[in-house]
Amino acid sequence: MRKVGIIGSGHVGSHVASALALRGIADEIVLLDTAPGKANGMKLDLEDGTAYYPHNVIVKAGEYSDFADADILVNAASGPIQKDDRTKELKASMCVAQDIAQKIRASAFSGILISISNPCDVIAQYLAKETGLNVLGTGTALDSARVKVELAKVLGADPHSIQGYSFGEHGNSQFIPFSVVTVCGIPFADYLRQKKILFNADEFLQWIKVKAWKIFDAKPCTEFGIGNACAEIIQAIFTDSRTMLPVSSMMKGEYGISGMYLSVPRIIGRSGVMETLELPLTSEEKALLKKSGETVAMNFERGLELLH
């Protein structure tokens, strides 16, 4: 029985649940929300699709005590969403994280905790510190999906034939190391030359960074992309697939960086992050990763200060 608990039944949490059900990844999903009746409403709506899911899925509205035997717990709870800078959510999200960390500890949950709430890297690191659990953040899994989708448009290629990632903070200091991007197995620069495609890397990166804000301008949140990104991570854990995904986890000397949560491509399997294989970044790309790490470290310390 593959059981997933989800804290926060808003746009993001509900779409994680929907992706898990539609893709046949979970057998039981437990929803929790602070708004009275909201989790139950989501539960009733999701269970209506059971006849069309790949297999039967049990959906419940529950409490923290229901997470005790869950395999994976997803944190999708946060303060008010900001439309231009995820770090503006820091104080409110830290307060929410402080509250749920205490409740998670009391719940006896002992599985893998996946945190989505922004600023993602900071909140994931804080929850790891406060709960002692195996915690990873969705990080740039969503941004990296955008990289593939948007590159596919420019290059006239299938997103599935593109290997490329956004590294660093799930925020404004993220970057794309084009030196390790491949298209149909061909190095990115070689593909551009063969196809005679003009490409502006700076403009492309800026679009990846602001695409979320364009979505926010048109609707109140991002939900479908992150729902599927989180489901992909959960599927890799449940199937022990050892899929390479860019998730946020503690840096332990990789690329010469230690001491903070950052997203780099990692092998994901039954125990979460199985290992981190270093890609051959250029010296300039390593410097950008270091700078991004410094940004996260600064925000983490600031977040701790805001709690006092």
Side-chain angles (χ1 to χ4, degrees):
M1 178 72 75
R2 300 164 298 175
K3 182 175 179 178
V4 179
I6 301 175
I7 303 171
S9 300
H11 291 279
V12 172
S14 62
H15 277 87
V16 172
S18 178
L20 292 174
L22 285 167
R23 294 171 57 176
I25 295 171
D27 300 303
E28 182 176 347
I29 301 169
V30 180
L31 300 167
L32 182 150
D33 199 273
T34 56
K38 188 172 187 177
N40 189 56
M42 291 296 181
K43 173 253 184 187
L44 294 173
D45 197 5
L46 282 164
E47 72 179 9
D48 279 349
T50 304
Y52 304 113
Y53 298 149
H55 67 274
N56 287 343
V57 180
I58 299 169
V59 184
K60 297 178 179 178
E63 303 294 337
Y64 279 90
S65 58
D66 295 307
F67 299 148
D69 62 343
D71 302 289
I72 295 172
L73 185 58
V74 176
N75 169 39
S78 67
I81 304 299
Q82 299 295 323
K83 294 187 176 183
D84 59 349
D85 185 346
R86 296 173 182 89
T87 60
K88 291 181 180 179
E89 301 173 34
L90 181 59
K91 183 174 183 179
S93 289
M94 285 292 284
C95 290
V96 171
Q98 184 180 48
D99 177 62
I100 69 172
Q102 298 172 354
K103 294 172 180 176
I104 291 171
R105 287 198 304 268
S107 74
F109 171 75
S110 60
I112 297 173
L113 174 58
I114 300 175
S115 188
I116 299 174
S117 302
N118 287 317
C120 183
D121 311 282
V122 172
I123 299 302
Q125 184 170 342
Y126 176 77
L127 288 173
K129 173 180 176 292
E130 292 299 308
T131 65
L133 292 169
N134 180 358
V135 180
L136 58 89
T138 49
T140 62
L142 174 56
D143 307 281
S144 297
R146 288 179 180 142
V147 169
K148 294 182 179 183
V149 168
E150 296 302 322
L151 275 180
K153 295 176 185 178
V154 174
L155 305 176
D158 182 344
H160 298 89
S161 296
I162 297 171
Q163 286 299 318
Y165 308 95
S166 182
F167 276 51
E169 174 198 24
H170 176 54
N172 294 338
S173 70
Q174 66 180 273
F175 70 100
I176 304 165
F178 285 101
S179 69
V180 294
V181 173
T182 63
V183 186
C184 302
I186 303 169
F188 184 64
D190 292 342
Y191 187 90
L192 293 178
R193 280 193 292 270
Q194 287 188 38
K195 303 287 282 187
K196 296 180 173 59
I197 297 173
L198 296 176
F199 182 79
N200 188 310
D202 292 335
E203 289 182 1
F204 183 83
L205 174 59
Q206 184 60 23
W207 171 240
I208 294 302
K209 290 181 180 181
V210 304
K211 187 176 181 182
W213 316 135
K214 295 296 183 182
I215 296 171
F216 281 129
D217 285 342
K219 52 182 290 200
C221 65
T222 59
E223 50 194 324
F224 303 111
I226 186 58
N228 274 286
C230 186
E232 187 75 9
I233 296 167
I234 293 172
Q235 179 172 264
I237 294 170
F238 278 144
T239 61
D240 194 27
S241 65
R242 287 171 165 74
T243 302
M244 179 83 94
L245 292 168
V247 300
S248 187
S249 186
M250 183 64 77
M251 299 295 289
K252 300 177 181 177
E254 301 93 349
Y255 304 98
I257 299 173
S258 298
M260 80 287 296
Y261 268 53
L262 280 178
S263 285
V264 296
R266 305 178 192 274
I267 304 298
I268 307 300
R270 183 169 289 115
S271 59
V273 175
M274 308 292 286
E275 60 180 318
T276 302
L277 301 176
E278 293 190 40
L279 277 63
L281 303 185
T282 65
S283 57
E284 180 182 356
E285 290 164 348
K286 288 180 180 178
L288 288 171
L289 185 59
K290 181 180 179 182
K291 184 177 180 181
S292 189
E294 290 169 352
T295 298
V296 171
M298 178 185 68
N299 286 329
F300 182 74
E301 292 304 319
R302 179 166 163 256
L304 294 178
E305 291 172 0
L306 288 171
L307 291 177
H308 298 99

